[in-house]
Amino acid sequence: MTNSALPTQQDLHKLLKTHFGYDGFRPNQQEIIESICNGQDALVIMPTGGGKSMCFQLPALALDGVALVISPLIALMKDQVDALRANGIKAAYYNSTQPPEEMQKVLSDLQHNALDLIYVAPESLQLLDPVLSTIKISLIAIDEAHCISSWGHDFRPAYTQLGYLKRRYPETPLVALTATADRSTQDDIAQQLSIPQAKKYISSFDRPNLYLDVRPGQKRNEQILDFLEDHPFESGIIYCLSRKSTENLAAKLKSNGHNAAAYHAGMSAEQRSKVQEDFINDTTPIICATIAFGMGIDKSNVRWVIHYNMPKNLEGYYQEIGRAGRDGLPSHTVLFYSYADTMQLRQFIDGAKNADYQMAKLDRMQQYAEALSCRRKVLINYFGEFLSQDCGNCDICKNAPAYFDGTVLTQKVLSGVARMQQKEAMGTVIDVLRGSQNAQVYDKGYQNIKTYGAAKDVSWRDLQQYVIQMINQGLLEIRFRESGRLLLTPLSKEVLYDGKKIQLAKPSKEKAKPITKERKPKKPKGSLFEKLRELRAELAREANVAAYIVFSDASLKDM
Ligand code: ADP
Ligand code: MG
């Protein structure tokens, strides 16, 4: 195919069928492929397994010249190239692990226009430069593009040099692809790759079959045993923070008659692969694991995932709950949340290189756990998508809080943010709206703006809850990297100027009900066992109520 005529939809479908054997595109693939073929830059955010590679592999076949693919994973490069070659596609890779004669062969193939795709490690790109500037490059793909962001969890210094590519080849479409990027990381990627105008394609991160459940973290073991009684013979994963706790919990479950095993990076490779295998073939249905477990495990019938401790950020949480229900069937996820856990996480993070950023991420995780509106909306919004309706499949939707027309209050907050030039973080915004007389407010002259004191009848804590709801509804955006300042969004303009109505949930003092209930008796009534069990259940109920009050008070102190 030549460049003179753009490939038609039929051409693209034909290539998909003949080279890959697929009958149709996955969501967003076709739009992305067409835009690349039209010479446009693109930023692709698609969950793992969503089919990102196809987005550049197909245009590579449709367009003239060789597609330059930057990939950080040398180990996976060979697999990808082998798979392409098996499909009759002319692909090669170029990196430092190759013998010199192989590298030479790649260079010569490039010069003779004998390749459709060339995979390169970012570190080896420079070596290719002289050849690249003499041949036709059809497109540039930056895979795992989050590696460019120094704030991300997988930063690769070599990625930061890639910004020159767009400047050197301005006419060549550049596509950046990743599975993990919140909105500010997305902007960072586009900025650093010199494609600030690139169109963003965000594939749905929503997994509607996952029930999202957050529970107070008291009496977790009891709650888990209850849960397991309600989910017999099901396969699931319990994520714990420490290696020790995976072992303790597995032992506890086993002593209660459950078939469970521990898994963590401290175990030998043989032990780990044995546990993994037993899990995959349902010999051991329950795994108590650190986050080391799950990567690359393809098991479709995981029915539930429990987080014994809160993860550090929503990316990790999303990835881990995403291991449940890959078959699309209803699956349950439980996150245990306690104030003490967040304090512990804060201590871990404190003093880390990018502590501010990690703290802001943790804040968002905590806000999710404390959300008073549809959790799925919060989660999906975090990844840059909007859900127009409440999901009906999370604990909040199932126990819906009371809503009121919060339009006026929302307008006050948004207009306050606007009047403070979108420079301030949540704390200052709340102080100003409540008419606080603290020095920070006065130093900046905020006592003179129109919204000063506009919400003085709302308590600090409630107002904070409302602002969090506004963030979660996409009415405000938090810039983690800029001291958490709040910004308006396109949606906030609709509220300010077009009279869009906003519902807010009344913060209730009991935001989540402790759910420990009496477990179904296994022994005949009247036995000593049964009596002890009753007694314990009663104690648990009381202890839980007490613990819950402590929990609320503690959260109050934080605010
Ligand atoms: P990602 O990089 O987004 O994690 P991959 O590109 O590795 O995902 O694709 C995941 C799987 O989906 C691969 O096995 C791929 O062949 C398959 N796939 C991609 N596009 C399609 C499609 N249109 N129809 C069916 N399967 C597809
Ligand atoms: Mg991929």
Side-chain angles (χ1 to χ4, degrees):
M1 217 165 291
T2 68
N3 232 4
S4 49
L6 288 173
T8 63
Q9 291 198 359
Q10 273 163 330
D11 294 335
L12 296 178
H13 271 94
K14 199 161 163 230
L15 286 171
L16 181 69
K17 182 74 185 169
T18 48
H19 287 281
F20 300 95
Y22 298 135
D23 293 317
F25 288 107
R26 296 249 183 93
N28 273 356
Q29 279 182 333
Q30 187 166 349
E31 292 84 340
I32 296 164
I33 290 167
E34 283 175 2
S35 89
I36 294 173
C37 291
N38 276 323
Q40 282 148 358
D41 301 328
L43 177 56
V44 174
I45 320 287
M46 205 182 261
T48 302
K52 285 185 285 297
S53 319
M54 187 66 73
C55 298
F56 55 81
Q57 287 171 348
L58 204 75
L61 298 177
L63 298 172
D64 262 355
V66 61
L68 177 64
V69 182
I70 314 291
S71 166
L73 302 165
I74 291 182
L76 296 188
M77 226 178 247
K78 184 174 180 323
D79 291 348
Q80 287 219 14
V81 167
D82 286 347
L84 286 168
R85 285 186 179 160
N87 286 336
I89 296 166
K90 294 174 283 173
Y93 61 91
Y94 188 82
N95 66 47
S96 52
T97 65
Q98 282 169 300
E101 58 277 11
E102 226 176 276
M103 293 175 92
Q104 205 49 53
K105 167 89 168 70
V106 173
L107 291 180
S108 131
D109 281 351
L110 274 177
Q111 275 158 335
H112 295 96
N113 204 10
L115 291 174
D116 290 317
L117 292 108
I118 174 80
Y119 281 70
V120 191
E123 293 82 3
S124 312
L125 189 56
Q126 254 186 347
L127 290 173
L128 271 191
D129 242 14
V131 180
L132 290 178
S133 48
T134 64
I135 59 174
K136 168 128 187 77
I137 302 173
S138 56
L139 68 98
I140 301 168
I142 318 273
D143 207 3
E144 314 291 343
H146 58 275
C147 294
I148 202 169
S149 182
S150 57
W151 305 98
H153 55 91
D154 201 11
F155 174 57
R156 308 288 169 103
Y159 260 64
T160 54
Q161 296 154 22
L162 300 178
Y164 87 95
L165 282 168
K166 189 68 209 178
R167 293 190 288 275
R168 163 112 29 118
Y169 307 101
E171 303 301 323
T172 308
L174 188 147
V175 53
L177 311 98
T178 174
T180 55
D182 64 30
R183 255 183 292 172
S184 38
T185 310
Q186 291 165 20
D187 295 342
D188 200 19
I189 292 171
Q191 205 69 45
Q192 292 206 52
L193 289 176
S194 321
I195 50 165
Q197 308 302 330
K199 181 149 191 237
K200 271 191 206 175
Y201 295 88
I202 301 175
S203 299
S204 187
F205 278 73
D206 192 11
R207 301 274 312 278
N209 61 318
L210 299 186
Y211 180 71
L212 306 174
D213 194 359
V214 180
R215 302 178 179 185
Q218 282 75 42
K219 304 230 157 247
R220 291 166 214 216
N221 291 352
E222 294 278 312
Q223 294 198 56
I224 289 172
L225 288 171
D226 282 342
F227 181 92
L228 295 181
E229 280 191 18
D230 289 342
H231 295 80
F233 311 115
E234 289 184 3
S235 184
I237 308 169
I238 306 174
Y239 283 106
C240 306
L241 208 55
S242 69
R243 296 174 180 185
K244 192 80 212 142
S245 54
T246 64
E247 286 170 4
N248 292 344
L249 184 60
K252 167 105 189 163
L253 298 184
K254 274 195 262 187
S255 72
N256 275 270
H258 294 287
N259 189 356
Y263 181 104
H264 56 73
M267 291 161 45
S268 72
E270 300 91 85
Q271 281 174 317
R272 275 183 288 153
S273 65
K274 172 90 170 71
V275 171
Q276 201 164 305
E277 230 167 80
D278 287 349
F279 179 65
I280 288 172
N281 59 34
D282 292 318
T283 314
T284 313
I286 301 170
I287 304 296
C288 307
T290 59
I291 54 171
F293 185 72
M295 257 168 256
I297 289 187
D298 197 7
K299 181 172 168 65
S300 64
N301 66 339
V302 177
R303 285 278 68 84
W304 51 264
V305 166
I306 295 176
H307 279 92
Y308 199 87
N309 306 93
M310 190 170 81
K312 287 199 301 253
N313 53 51
L314 283 167
E315 280 91 346
Y317 171 71
Y318 174 82
Q319 198 160 32
E320 284 138 30
I321 62 170
R323 303 207 164 107
R326 292 222 176 128
D327 53 10
L329 296 174
S331 305
H332 203 120
T333 73
V334 178
L335 164 66
F336 286 115
Y337 169 68
S338 83
Y339 179 74
D341 276 5
T342 63
M343 291 310 288
Q344 195 184 2
L345 286 174
R346 276 175 209 287
Q347 277 163 11
F348 280 152
I349 293 173
D350 215 12
K353 201 171 73 217
N354 52 0
D356 281 356
Y357 180 66
Q358 287 195 45
M359 286 295 186
K361 294 250 166 189
L362 178 59
D363 284 344
R364 291 294 278 141
M365 183 72 229
Q366 192 172 349
Q367 285 160 13
Y368 168 84
E370 291 185 353
L372 291 160
S373 53
C374 173
R375 289 203 203 276
R376 187 165 269 99
K377 272 191 174 167
V378 179
L379 191 59
I380 295 305
N381 173 242
Y382 180 79
F383 292 105
E385 276 180 79
F386 296 106
L387 214 63
S388 59
Q389 285 187 331
D390 286 356
C391 75
N393 198 27
C394 67
D395 58 317
I396 303 271
C397 285
K398 290 274 197 255
N399 313 287
Y403 284 97
F404 65 98
D405 181 351
T407 311
V408 173
L409 180 62
T410 306
Q411 284 168 343
K412 286 177 181 171
V413 171
L414 299 182
S415 119
V417 169
R419 283 169 206 280
M420 284 172 253
Q421 318 287 332
Q422 312 186 69
K423 279 184 185 156
E424 300 299 338
M426 195 186 313
T428 307
V429 170
I430 294 172
D431 280 347
V432 170
L433 281 152
R434 296 195 67 250
S436 156
Q437 309 194 345
N438 76 30
Q440 229 219 327
V441 170
Y442 272 68
D443 285 353
K444 293 182 175 164
Y446 287 149
Q447 73 279 18
N448 299 319
I449 68 174
K450 204 172 157 211
T451 36
Y452 178 75
K456 58 175 177 299
D457 50 333
V458 185
S459 77
W460 211 97
R461 181 182 183 275
D462 283 0
L463 194 53
Q464 185 192 38
Q465 271 300 336
Y466 295 136
V467 174
I468 291 170
Q469 288 183 49
M470 290 170 206
I471 296 169
N472 286 339
Q473 291 191 35
L475 295 161
L476 284 170
E477 186 190 335
I478 279 198
R479 276 287 159 84
F480 298 128
R481 248 162 261 152
E482 299 163 27
S483 324
R485 73 183 175 110
L486 294 179
L487 272 75
L488 301 180
T489 69
L491 225 52
S492 47
K493 306 216 161 90
E494 288 179 32
V495 180
L496 283 172
Y497 308 120
D498 301 336
K500 185 181 166 66
K501 294 260 177 265
I502 296 300
Q503 296 281 309
L504 293 175
K506 284 217 168 70
S508 92
K509 293 295 169 234
E510 10 164 16
K511 37 194 170 198
K513 286 184 266 78
I515 48 75
T516 300
K517 57 168 193 202
E518 200 175 342
R519 255 176 278 136
K520 290 166 218 142
K522 270 184 192 154
K523 299 268 155 112
K525 262 209 169 322
S527 69
L528 178 61
F529 180 86
E530 171 66 8
K531 280 188 189 123
L532 280 172
R533 194 168 183 144
E534 260 171 32
L535 185 65
R536 187 185 55 187
E538 204 169 298
L539 280 172
R541 272 197 298 275
E542 281 179 21
N544 243 322
V545 174
Y548 186 63
I549 293 168
V550 171
F551 162 70
S552 312
D553 286 353
S555 332
L556 273 176
K557 267 191 220 123
D558 184 37
M559 297 158 182

